[in-house]
Amino acid sequence: MPEIDSLVEKKASQVDATGTIITAIRLLNRGAVRWALRALTREVELNGERKPLMEWVLARYAGEKQCPIVAHMIAPFFEAGMKLATAYLHSDDEAVKKMLGDPAVRRGLVTTLRGIALFGVTTPQKLPAPFFIVWNFTNSCNLRCIHCYQNAGRPLPNELSLDEKLRVVKELDEAGVPAIALSGGEPTVHRDFWPVLAEIARRGFYPAIATNGLTLSNMEFAEKARRAGLRYVEISIDAADPRVHDKFRGVNGAWSKAVNGLRNAVKLGFSTALAFTVTKVNLDEVDKVIELAQEIGVSKVIFFNFVPVGRGRENLEIDLSPEEREEFLRHIYGEMKRTKMEIISTAPQYGRVVNQLSAGSDVSPTHFVVASDPITKELTEFIGGCGAGRVYAAIEPEGTLTPCVFLPHPVGNLRSKSFWDIWMDPFMENFRNRDLLKGFCGQCPYKLICGGCRARAYNYFGDVLAPDPGCIYNSSDWRKLMGDVSKIKVKAPMAIK
């Protein structure tokens, strides 16, 4: 069938292009090359926008004309080098150009190159900026979910103003962050959603939202978001049974609107995902939710780890035991192979489970994808399990940056400190050096592809380096914790210096 052949060719060209770039990156851990990279990643300004020189060069290589003079001067030499590289690697120069036509892809590549220039090739790779930011845009919400990590409802009195939000977008742009996901609360109910989304799209980020889907059930609203530049929509659905979902969400009728929101997103051509937080309450809904996702036509199902934070701290009894989580992760890997659907999990143990069940033929770098191609295997070394404080970070409604939305340790506030100063805070080294991990997580042979969920360690033990009690290898730690659940509910994690 021609349409299937076209899809296969497109996928192959993407892998081919990515492979060329990744192979080149693997060769860059040399002194002279790193020196050249540092020169190419210095910032150059054009029309008030500051970007690394390499980003401008990549833009020119991809066909854009509005670039600084120095980028026009370097671009022919870069293009000649790329032609030699693609010929040597038997890859497609045009496929590389097409991929680099996306400004978010260019920015992600430059961020990786800057990381190599500054830190060398490391495992996991240290980066000068995260690949994406999850921005809890507002604490306002139109639902009352029992597992809400943000304890959302009413807006905070000190949330960032619109001018401050736009300044944050500018700073993230200059820092080299490729993608911004607006979350909350519920980001779409805030009056600043539209101007901030438009600015994120204008600056070439990959714009995404994590939403409960209620506003997107209105097709006019969804179409407006598409026109504003939104590219990715992730809607939370906690069960295929409307009654179970509505009980989770605290509002009758929430399920039907969320499902309609997903249907609208699929119709409009968004990249879409159904998000599902796995607990004891809805564990038996997993297969039904996968069937629902297939029926709707979404491209991905993401199973989120339950983390005892926010209102979730009041409902510890719904968390899975290590044995239940292990069985669940094994099950969804089997479902992914059976259905040929993209099914992933934010539980970093999924990387280990996939590796073990496939005898190493499949890999799952954090919660991005499961694949068997050699390129994704290369990426696994770079991304390496739990991404908190490494490949992503979170921003709170009042400007505080934390390593993860589920790990509310304030590292710094963007009202008073620069993003770079916060990102390079010594506390963040806890997430970038797996040799610091404690307990079995520090000894585990899978620590570079897993590392345990640092948010679960923090919220259960008050220590980001503690073992993740959700792992089957840490069952004894889990049993000790469950011996006195009341202490966990009352005692919040301590601030760590």
Side-chain angles (χ1 to χ4, degrees):
M1 295 176 67
E3 63 271 21
I4 294 179
D5 292 340
S6 175
L7 182 63
V8 170
E9 288 175 8
K10 181 180 178 183
K11 183 69 174 176
S13 68
Q14 288 174 340
V15 169
D16 188 45
T18 308
T20 300
I21 293 170
I22 294 299
T23 302
I25 287 173
R26 300 295 291 174
L27 301 174
L28 295 178
N29 196 26
R30 299 175 184 178
V33 178
R34 285 179 61 193
W35 178 87
L37 282 177
R38 280 193 284 270
L40 285 169
T41 54
R42 66 182 178 85
E43 291 189 339
V44 177
E45 186 172 335
L46 177 69
N47 298 329
E49 291 193 12
R50 296 182 61 83
K51 298 180 185 296
L53 175 57
M54 176 59 84
E55 192 169 338
W56 291 118
V57 171
L58 292 176
R60 181 67 192 90
Y61 171 70
E64 294 192 15
K65 306 298 184 183
Q66 294 296 317
C67 299
I69 294 175
V70 65
H72 285 279
M73 294 171 62
I74 294 174
F77 298 100
F78 179 82
E79 183 158 4
M82 286 302 297
K83 284 186 179 296
L84 287 172
T86 52
Y88 177 75
L89 296 167
H90 305 289
S91 57
D92 185 357
D93 177 52
E94 289 304 314
V96 175
K97 280 187 179 181
K98 185 175 181 180
M99 188 176 72
L100 292 176
D102 186 334
V105 172
R106 293 198 297 268
R107 195 173 308 196
L109 177 58
V110 171
T111 295
T112 303
L113 294 175
R114 286 177 61 213
I116 294 171
L118 290 169
F119 312 114
V121 174
T122 63
T123 306
Q125 183 61 48
K126 293 183 180 180
L127 299 169
F131 287 141
F132 67 100
I133 287 285
V134 179
W135 188 352
N136 290 331
F137 192 68
T138 178
N139 207 58
S140 296
C141 193
N142 47 5
L143 294 181
R144 186 74 180 172
C145 309
I146 65 172
H147 56 319
C148 178
Y149 63 79
Q150 192 68 13
N151 203 12
R154 295 181 179 180
L156 302 177
N158 59 341
E159 292 186 2
L160 296 174
S161 67
L162 176 58
D163 286 344
E164 288 176 317
K165 291 183 178 111
L166 296 176
R167 182 185 60 76
V168 167
V169 174
K170 180 176 184 291
E171 191 166 352
L172 295 178
D173 183 6
E174 293 175 350
V177 176
I180 298 177
L182 298 179
S183 187
E186 174 52 45
T188 63
V189 301
H190 197 281
R191 64 182 179 277
D192 293 342
F193 172 71
W194 296 112
V196 173
L197 173 60
E199 182 67 1
I200 288 171
R202 185 189 73 80
R203 287 184 173 272
F205 290 95
Y206 185 84
I209 58 169
T211 170
N212 59 38
L214 270 63
T215 55
L216 289 170
S217 65
N218 181 312
M219 179 59 89
E220 185 177 341
F221 185 99
E223 289 173 338
K224 184 178 178 181
R226 185 69 172 167
R227 290 193 300 271
L230 186 64
R231 293 173 63 179
Y232 175 86
V233 173
E234 182 179 291
I235 294 180
S236 298
I237 294 180
D238 296 304
D241 184 337
R243 294 169 298 177
V244 176
H245 177 89
D246 290 355
K247 183 178 180 180
F248 254 81
R249 298 286 158 175
V251 174
N252 290 332
W255 184 89
S256 61
K257 288 187 175 181
V259 170
N260 286 337
L262 261 179
R263 293 190 191 281
N264 287 343
V266 170
K267 286 177 185 176
L268 292 174
F270 288 106
S271 178
T272 54
L274 185 157
F276 180 101
T277 300
V278 188
T279 67
K280 290 181 186 293
V281 176
N282 61 0
L283 187 58
D284 60 352
E285 289 282 320
V286 167
D287 289 348
K288 299 171 188 174
V289 161
I290 292 173
E291 291 175 5
L292 175 64
Q294 287 182 300
E295 187 267 314
I296 294 172
V298 300
S299 54
K300 183 185 299 184
V301 178
I302 306 174
F303 288 102
F304 275 79
N305 237 353
F306 172 81
V307 181
V309 62
R311 280 196 291 274
R313 199 167 191 79
E314 303 165 12
N315 297 283
L316 291 175
E317 62 278 358
I318 69 175
D319 196 4
L320 301 183
S321 69
E323 292 76 16
E324 288 171 325
R325 181 172 283 99
E326 186 78 4
E327 183 180 351
F328 158 72
L329 293 175
R330 287 171 169 265
H331 177 72
I332 63 169
Y333 174 69
E335 285 300 290
M336 187 206 69
K337 302 295 280 187
R338 182 184 67 82
T339 63
K340 308 301 182 185
M341 190 178 185
E342 195 170 354
I343 301 173
I344 54 181
S345 174
T346 64
Q349 293 84 15
Y350 194 46
R352 168 184 57 77
V353 168
V354 167
N355 184 282
Q356 290 174 329
L357 291 182
S358 68
S361 64
D362 285 347
V363 292
S364 178
T366 68
H367 51 270
F368 292 127
V369 70
V370 175
S372 57
D373 62 275
I375 306 311
T376 306
K377 291 180 181 180
E378 291 278 356
L379 282 172
T380 303
E381 296 183 21
F382 282 101
I383 297 170
C386 176
R390 297 189 311 102
V391 299
Y392 71 90
I395 298 175
E396 293 296 299
E398 85 295 348
T400 295
L401 189 139
T402 68
C404 168
V405 292
F406 300 107
L407 204 164
H409 176 89
V411 186
N413 192 287
L414 291 167
R415 277 178 165 146
S416 56
K417 294 180 71 175
S418 71
F419 177 82
W420 171 259
D421 286 341
I422 300 172
W423 183 249
M424 296 306 295
D425 187 282
F427 175 74
M428 300 296 253
E429 185 64 17
N430 290 312
F431 305 96
R432 299 164 189 171
N433 184 352
R434 293 284 163 79
D435 291 335
L436 299 175
L437 294 175
K438 300 174 183 177
F440 187 78
C441 282
Q443 307 165 29
C444 182
Y446 296 98
K447 70 179 180 181
L448 293 180
I449 64 172
C450 173
C453 175
R454 297 300 97 212
R456 287 177 57 82
Y458 178 76
N459 286 289
Y460 272 115
F461 291 109
D463 184 352
V464 297
L465 297 173
D468 175 0
C471 178
I472 192 72
Y473 297 148
N474 295 322
S475 294
S476 60
D477 294 298
W478 172 258
R479 287 192 292 272
K480 289 176 185 176
L481 285 169
M482 293 301 101
D484 195 349
V485 173
S486 61
K487 287 184 179 179
I488 304 171
K489 288 186 176 183
V490 173
K491 186 180 179 182
M494 298 170 59
I496 303 170
K497 301 297 184 185

